[in-house]
Every structure is written in C-alpha cells, then in structure tokens.
Amino acid sequence: MSNLTEYLAQKRDALLRRRAHARSGEVRPLRLQAQAHAEGRSGVRRIRIRDFQVISDSPPDFADYDLGPSSPELLLGALSSCLTHTYLIQAADQQIALEDVSVEVHGQLDPRAGTPGHETTPIYPHDLSYTVRLTTDATELDALNAAVERCCPILNLLRQGVEVRGTVERVPVSRAAA
C-alpha cells in the first residue's frame, strides 16, 4: 500500500463486511482482557494484551526507571489511538479521502492531588483535550467529526464514565512460592 487513501478503500470494504456480519445475528460481545504484573526490584509493569506486551513505568523521581509510559500516559495514548482509528473508519465509511491523520492528546496530572491544600484536586488525568490534524482536500468535515464524536469508544468512555467493579484476592507467601 502506498498511501492512506488506498488503505481507506480497504478499511471501507472491511467495515461493510463487519456491518453485514453484525446484522447476521451471529456476532456476540467480545470479552476484552488485559493483565499487568509488577516485576521485582524495578517495579516495571508488564502489560499483556492478547499476544502483545507493553512496558509501563514511571520517571525516576517516582523511584522508577522511565522504561515506558506511565499508566496515565497510556490512557492518553489509548485515546489518541482510538480517535485516530475512528477518524479512519468514519472517513472510509463516508468516502472522504485523507492523506494523513494525527491526533494529539493533552491532559493534566497534578502530583499534589490529595495533599493538604489540594484535597479537591483530581487524582486522575483531567483537563483532557485533543487536536486532530487531517490532511485532506475535503472541505466539509462536520459530518465526519460528528460521527467520530458519536462512535469513538474510548472518547465516549471517558466522557460518560463506566462502572468498574474490583475484587482483591490474597495469596499467602507460602502458596505463591510453590
């Protein structure tokens, strides 16, 4: 493939096949899974998703080695990736030629959160914003932008929130060593 325009034609074909398959009634929800494990001595987190591995770490000022992005940075990366992919999907669907798509996401994370005088400062990434750069000759992009805002899974998750349940399982050291 020599450029994004050719890719968008393939993306449109795949999108049409996927929609037809979804209407067939044979599709069920996908179960997503990710696992992270903290490595001894370094605290580096190895994130495993399907057959892929990502390293997450923090800067040295937080007793880490800066071997990978932090969890909040990965969240911003997931949003930028999802927005970029959703622009590709929607451009393919609407048959809008794009030469290039890039999305830059910014946010704030305040290390003072929760400390005296900053009790109300969010402990999570906040003040999120993004800038999309589309290289295209198309001049009417309102429908494309509206479709992306409506369909981007990570954008909508962050905007609307979702319930997250958690459990903690204690494993005795004697059993973990076995």
Side-chain angles (χ1 to χ4, degrees), residues 121-143:
T121 301
I123 61 169
Y124 49 84
H126 58 282
D127 293 332
L128 301 183
S129 64
Y130 66 90
T131 301
V132 180
R133 289 181 184 83
L134 303 174
T135 304
T136 182
D137 286 331
T139 56
E140 181 49 52
L141 299 172
D142 291 344

Side-chain angles (χ1 to χ4, degrees), residues 3 19 27 32 61 64 76-77 86 93 98 107 114 120 123 133 139 146 160 164 170:
N3 61 40
R19 282 187 183 150
V27 178
L32 304 176
D61 71 342
D64 287 327
L76 271 56
T86 306
D93 190 34
L98 299 176
T120 60
I123 61 169
R133 289 181 184 83
T139 56
Q160 297 175 19
V164 178
R170 186 180 83 71

Side-chain angles (χ1 to χ4, degrees), residues 72-119:
E73 291 169 318
L74 286 170
L75 176 70
L76 271 56
L79 176 57
S80 67
S81 174
C82 196
L83 281 162
T84 300
H85 188 223
T86 306
Y87 267 95
L88 294 172
I89 292 167
Q90 296 305 320
D93 190 34
Q94 296 178 28
Q95 296 181 300
I96 296 173
L98 299 176
E99 291 295 317
D100 192 48
V101 179
S102 66
V103 177
E104 188 173 303
V105 176
H106 295 269
Q108 295 286 323
L109 186 63
D110 194 334
R112 301 171 299 176
T115 63
H118 296 279
E119 295 85 358

